[in-house]
Coordinates of all heavy atoms in Angstrom, one line a residue:
R12 N 0.8 -1.2 0.0 CA 0.0 0.0 0.0 C 0.8 1.3 0.0 O 0.4 2.3 -0.4 CB -0.9 0.0 1.2 CG -1.9 -1.1 1.2 CD -2.8 -1.0 2.5 NE -2.2 -1.5 3.7 CZ -1.9 -0.8 4.7 NH1 -2.1 0.5 4.7 NH2 -1.3 -1.3 5.8
H13 N 2.1 1.2 0.5 CA 2.9 2.3 0.6 C 4.4 1.9 0.3 O 4.7 0.8 0.2 CB 2.9 2.9 2.0 CG 1.5 3.3 2.5 ND1 0.9 4.4 2.0 CD2 0.6 2.7 3.3 CE1 -0.3 4.5 2.5 NE2 -0.5 3.5 3.3
H14 N 5.2 2.9 0.1 CA 6.6 2.7 -0.2 C 7.3 2.1 1.0 O 7.0 2.3 2.2 CB 7.3 3.9 -0.6 CG 7.4 5.0 0.4 ND1 6.4 6.0 0.5 CD2 8.3 5.3 1.3 CE1 6.7 6.8 1.5 NE2 7.9 6.4 2.0
M15 N 8.4 1.3 0.7 CA 9.2 0.7 1.7 C 10.6 1.2 1.5 O 11.1 1.3 0.3 CB 9.1 -0.9 1.6 CG 10.0 -1.6 2.6 SD 11.7 -2.0 2.0 CE 11.3 -3.3 0.8
G16 N 11.3 1.4 2.6 CA 12.7 1.9 2.4 C 13.7 1.3 3.4 O 13.3 0.8 4.4
W17 N 14.9 1.3 3.0 CA 16.0 0.9 3.8 C 16.9 2.1 4.2 O 17.2 2.9 3.3 CB 16.9 -0.2 3.1 CG 16.3 -1.5 3.1 CD1 15.6 -2.1 2.0 CD2 16.3 -2.5 4.1 NE1 15.1 -3.3 2.3 CE2 15.6 -3.6 3.6 CE3 16.8 -2.6 5.4 CZ2 15.4 -4.8 4.4 CZ3 16.6 -3.8 6.1 CH2 15.9 -4.8 5.6
Y18 N 17.3 2.2 5.4 CA 18.1 3.2 5.9 C 19.3 2.6 6.7 O 19.1 1.4 7.1 CB 17.4 4.2 6.8 CG 16.3 5.0 6.1 CD1 15.1 4.4 5.7 CD2 16.5 6.3 5.8 CE1 14.1 5.1 5.1 CE2 15.5 7.0 5.2 CZ 14.3 6.4 4.8 OH 13.3 7.1 4.2
R19 N 20.3 3.3 7.0 CA 21.4 2.8 7.8 C 22.0 3.9 8.7 O 21.9 5.1 8.4 CB 22.5 2.1 7.0 CG 23.2 3.1 6.1 CD 24.2 2.3 5.2 NE 25.0 3.2 4.3 CZ 25.8 2.8 3.4 NH1 25.9 1.5 3.1 NH2 26.5 3.7 2.6
Q20 N 22.6 3.5 9.8 CA 23.2 4.4 10.7 C 24.5 3.8 11.3 O 24.4 2.7 11.9 CB 22.2 4.8 11.9 CG 22.8 5.9 12.8 CD 21.7 6.4 13.7 OE1 20.7 5.7 14.0 NE2 21.9 7.6 14.2
A21 N 25.6 4.5 11.1 CA 26.8 4.1 11.6 C 27.1 4.8 12.9 O 26.5 5.9 13.1 CB 28.0 4.3 10.6
P22 N 27.9 4.3 13.8 CA 28.2 5.0 15.1 C 28.7 6.4 14.9 O 29.5 6.6 14.0 CB 29.2 4.1 15.7 CG 29.0 2.7 15.2 CD 28.6 3.0 13.7
G23 N 28.0 7.3 15.6 CA 28.5 8.7 15.5 C 28.0 9.4 14.2 O 28.3 10.6 14.0
K24 N 27.2 8.8 13.4 CA 26.7 9.4 12.2 C 25.2 9.5 12.2 O 24.5 8.8 12.9 CB 27.2 8.7 11.0 CG 28.7 8.7 10.7 CD 29.0 8.0 9.4 CE 30.5 8.2 9.1 NZ 30.9 7.5 7.8
Q25 N 24.7 10.4 11.3 CA 23.2 10.5 11.2 C 22.7 9.3 10.4 O 23.4 8.7 9.6 CB 22.9 11.8 10.4 CG 23.2 13.1 11.1 CD 22.2 13.4 12.2 OE1 22.4 13.1 13.3 NE2 21.1 13.9 11.8
R26 N 21.5 9.0 10.6 CA 20.8 7.9 9.8 C 20.7 8.4 8.4 O 20.3 9.6 8.1 CB 19.4 7.6 10.4 CG 18.7 6.5 9.6 CD 17.3 6.2 10.3 NE 16.5 7.4 10.2 CZ 15.3 7.5 10.8 NH1 14.8 6.5 11.5 NH2 14.5 8.6 10.6
E27 N 21.1 7.6 7.4 CA 21.0 7.9 6.0 C 20.2 7.0 5.2 O 20.1 5.8 5.5 CB 22.5 8.0 5.4 CG 23.2 6.6 5.4 CD 24.5 6.7 4.7 OE1 24.8 7.7 4.0 OE2 25.3 5.7 4.8
W28 N 19.6 7.5 4.2 CA 18.7 6.8 3.3 C 19.6 5.9 2.4 O 20.6 6.4 1.9 CB 17.8 7.7 2.5 CG 17.1 7.1 1.4 CD1 16.1 6.2 1.4 CD2 17.4 7.2 0.0 NE1 15.7 5.8 0.2 CE2 16.5 6.5 -0.7 CE3 18.4 8.0 -0.7 CZ2 16.5 6.4 -2.1 CZ3 18.4 7.9 -2.1 CH2 17.4 7.2 -2.8
V29 N 19.1 4.7 2.2 CA 19.9 3.7 1.3 C 19.1 3.5 0.0 O 19.7 3.6 -1.1 CB 20.2 2.4 2.1 CG1 20.8 1.4 1.1 CG2 21.1 2.7 3.2
A30 N 17.9 3.1 0.1 CA 17.1 2.7 -1.0 C 15.6 2.7 -0.7 O 15.2 2.6 0.4 CB 17.5 1.3 -1.5
T31 N 14.8 2.9 -1.7 CA 13.3 2.9 -1.6 C 12.7 2.1 -2.8 O 13.2 2.2 -3.9 CB 12.8 4.3 -1.6 OG1 13.3 5.1 -0.6 CG2 11.3 4.4 -1.5
I32 N 11.6 1.4 -2.5 CA 10.8 0.8 -3.5 C 9.4 1.3 -3.2 O 8.9 1.2 -2.1 CB 10.9 -0.7 -3.5 CG1 10.1 -1.3 -4.7 CG2 10.5 -1.3 -2.2 CD1 10.4 -2.8 -4.9
T33 N 8.7 1.8 -4.3 CA 7.3 2.3 -4.1 C 6.3 1.1 -4.1 O 6.7 0.0 -4.4 CB 7.0 3.2 -5.2 OG1 6.9 2.5 -6.5 CG2 8.0 4.4 -5.3
S34 N 5.1 1.4 -3.8 CA 4.1 0.4 -3.8 C 3.9 -0.2 -5.2 O 3.6 -1.4 -5.3 CB 2.7 0.9 -3.4 OG 2.3 2.0 -4.2
G35 N 4.2 0.5 -6.2 CA 4.2 0.1 -7.6 C 5.4 -0.6 -8.1 O 5.4 -1.2 -9.2
G36 N 6.5 -0.6 -7.3 CA 7.7 -1.3 -7.7 C 8.9 -0.5 -8.2 O 9.9 -1.0 -8.5
S37 N 8.7 0.8 -8.3 CA 9.8 1.7 -8.7 C 10.8 1.8 -7.6 O 10.5 1.9 -6.4 CB 9.3 3.1 -9.1 OG 8.4 3.0 -10.1
T38 N 12.1 1.8 -8.0 CA 13.2 1.8 -7.1 C 14.1 3.0 -7.2 O 14.3 3.5 -8.3 CB 14.1 0.5 -7.2 OG1 14.6 0.4 -8.5 CG2 13.2 -0.7 -6.9
N39 N 14.7 3.4 -6.1 CA 15.7 4.5 -6.1 C 16.8 4.1 -5.1 O 16.5 3.5 -4.1 CB 15.1 5.8 -5.7 CG 14.2 6.4 -6.9 OD1 14.8 6.9 -7.8 ND2 12.9 6.3 -6.7
Y40 N 18.0 4.5 -5.4 CA 19.2 4.2 -4.5 C 20.0 5.4 -4.3 O 20.1 6.3 -5.1 CB 20.0 3.2 -5.2 CG 19.3 1.9 -5.5 CD1 18.7 1.7 -6.7 CD2 19.3 0.8 -4.6 CE1 18.0 0.5 -7.0 CE2 18.6 -0.4 -4.8 CZ 18.0 -0.5 -6.0 OH 17.4 -1.7 -6.3
A41 N 20.6 5.4 -3.1 CA 21.6 6.4 -2.8 C 22.8 6.2 -3.7 O 23.2 5.0 -4.0 CB 22.0 6.3 -1.3
D42 N 23.5 7.2 -4.0 CA 24.7 7.1 -4.9 C 25.7 6.2 -4.3 O 26.4 5.5 -5.0 CB 25.3 8.5 -5.1 CG 24.5 9.4 -6.0 OD1 23.6 8.8 -6.7 OD2 24.7 10.6 -6.0
S43 N 25.9 6.1 -3.0 CA 26.9 5.3 -2.3 C 26.7 3.8 -2.5 O 27.6 3.0 -2.4 CB 27.0 5.6 -0.9 OG 25.7 5.4 -0.2
V44 N 25.5 3.4 -2.8 CA 25.2 2.0 -3.0 C 24.7 1.6 -4.4 O 24.5 0.4 -4.7 CB 24.1 1.5 -1.9 CG1 24.6 1.8 -0.5 CG2 22.8 2.1 -2.2
K45 N 24.5 2.6 -5.2 CA 24.0 2.3 -6.6 C 24.9 1.3 -7.3 O 26.1 1.5 -7.4 CB 23.9 3.6 -7.3 CG 23.0 3.6 -8.6 CD 22.8 5.0 -9.1 CE 22.1 5.9 -8.1 NZ 21.8 7.2 -8.7
G46 N 24.3 0.3 -7.9 CA 25.1 -0.7 -8.6 C 25.5 -1.8 -7.8 O 25.9 -2.9 -8.3
R47 N 25.4 -1.7 -6.5 CA 25.8 -2.8 -5.6 C 24.7 -3.4 -4.8 O 24.7 -4.6 -4.5 CB 26.9 -2.3 -4.6 CG 28.1 -1.7 -5.2 CD 29.2 -1.4 -4.2 NE 28.8 -0.3 -3.3 CZ 28.7 -0.5 -2.0 NH1 28.9 -1.6 -1.4 NH2 28.3 0.6 -1.2
F48 N 23.7 -2.6 -4.4 CA 22.6 -3.0 -3.7 C 21.3 -3.1 -4.6 O 21.2 -2.3 -5.5 CB 22.3 -2.1 -2.5 CG 23.3 -2.0 -1.4 CD1 24.5 -2.7 -1.5 CD2 23.0 -1.3 -0.3 CE1 25.4 -2.7 -0.5 CE2 24.0 -1.3 0.8 CZ 25.2 -2.0 0.6
A49 N 20.4 -4.0 -4.2 CA 19.1 -4.1 -4.9 C 18.0 -4.3 -3.9 O 18.0 -5.2 -3.1 CB 19.2 -5.3 -5.9
I50 N 17.0 -3.4 -4.0 CA 15.8 -3.5 -3.1 C 14.7 -4.2 -3.9 O 14.5 -4.0 -5.1 CB 15.4 -2.1 -2.6 CG1 14.3 -2.2 -1.6 CG2 15.0 -1.2 -3.8 CD1 14.0 -0.8 -0.9
S51 N 14.0 -5.0 -3.1 CA 12.9 -5.7 -3.7 C 11.8 -6.1 -2.6 O 12.1 -5.8 -1.5 CB 13.3 -7.0 -4.4 OG 13.9 -7.9 -3.5
K52 N 10.7 -6.6 -3.0 CA 9.7 -7.0 -2.1 C 8.8 -8.1 -2.6 O 8.8 -8.4 -3.8 CB 8.8 -5.8 -1.7 CG 8.0 -5.2 -2.9 CD 7.1 -4.1 -2.4 CE 6.3 -3.6 -3.6 NZ 5.3 -2.6 -3.2
D53 N 8.2 -8.8 -1.7 CA 7.2 -9.9 -2.0 C 6.0 -9.5 -1.2 O 5.8 -9.7 0.0 CB 7.7 -11.2 -1.6 CG 6.8 -12.4 -2.0 OD1 5.6 -12.1 -2.2 OD2 7.3 -13.5 -2.1
N54 N 5.0 -8.9 -1.9 CA 3.8 -8.4 -1.3 C 3.0 -9.6 -0.6 O 2.4 -9.4 0.5 CB 2.9 -7.7 -2.3 CG 3.4 -6.4 -2.7 OD1 4.2 -5.7 -2.0 ND2 3.0 -5.9 -3.8
A55 N 3.0 -10.7 -1.2 CA 2.3 -11.8 -0.6 C 2.8 -12.3 0.7 O 2.1 -12.8 1.5 CB 2.3 -13.0 -1.6
K56 N 4.1 -12.0 0.9 CA 4.7 -12.4 2.2 C 4.9 -11.2 3.1 O 5.5 -11.3 4.2 CB 6.1 -13.0 1.9 CG 6.0 -14.3 1.2 CD 7.4 -14.9 0.9 CE 7.4 -16.2 0.2 NZ 8.7 -16.8 0.0
N57 N 4.4 -10.0 2.7 CA 4.6 -8.8 3.5 C 6.1 -8.6 3.8 O 6.4 -8.2 5.0 CB 3.8 -8.8 4.8 CG 2.3 -8.9 4.5 OD1 1.8 -8.3 3.5 ND2 1.5 -9.5 5.3
T58 N 6.9 -8.9 2.9 CA 8.4 -8.9 3.2 C 9.1 -8.0 2.1 O 8.9 -8.1 0.9 CB 8.9 -10.3 3.1 OG1 8.2 -11.1 4.1 CG2 10.4 -10.3 3.4
G59 N 10.1 -7.2 2.6 CA 11.0 -6.5 1.8 C 12.4 -7.1 1.9 O 12.7 -7.7 2.9

């Protein structure tokens, strides 16, 4: 029903955005992980 996202936080640093997938399946990535990470989901399993 809504977008799902991954974020990360290293010690002493602000939480940063990593990747997002919309309810329709469109994806976006932070430049730091582009080409290395892949976001996906299985709606039937309520799992990202």
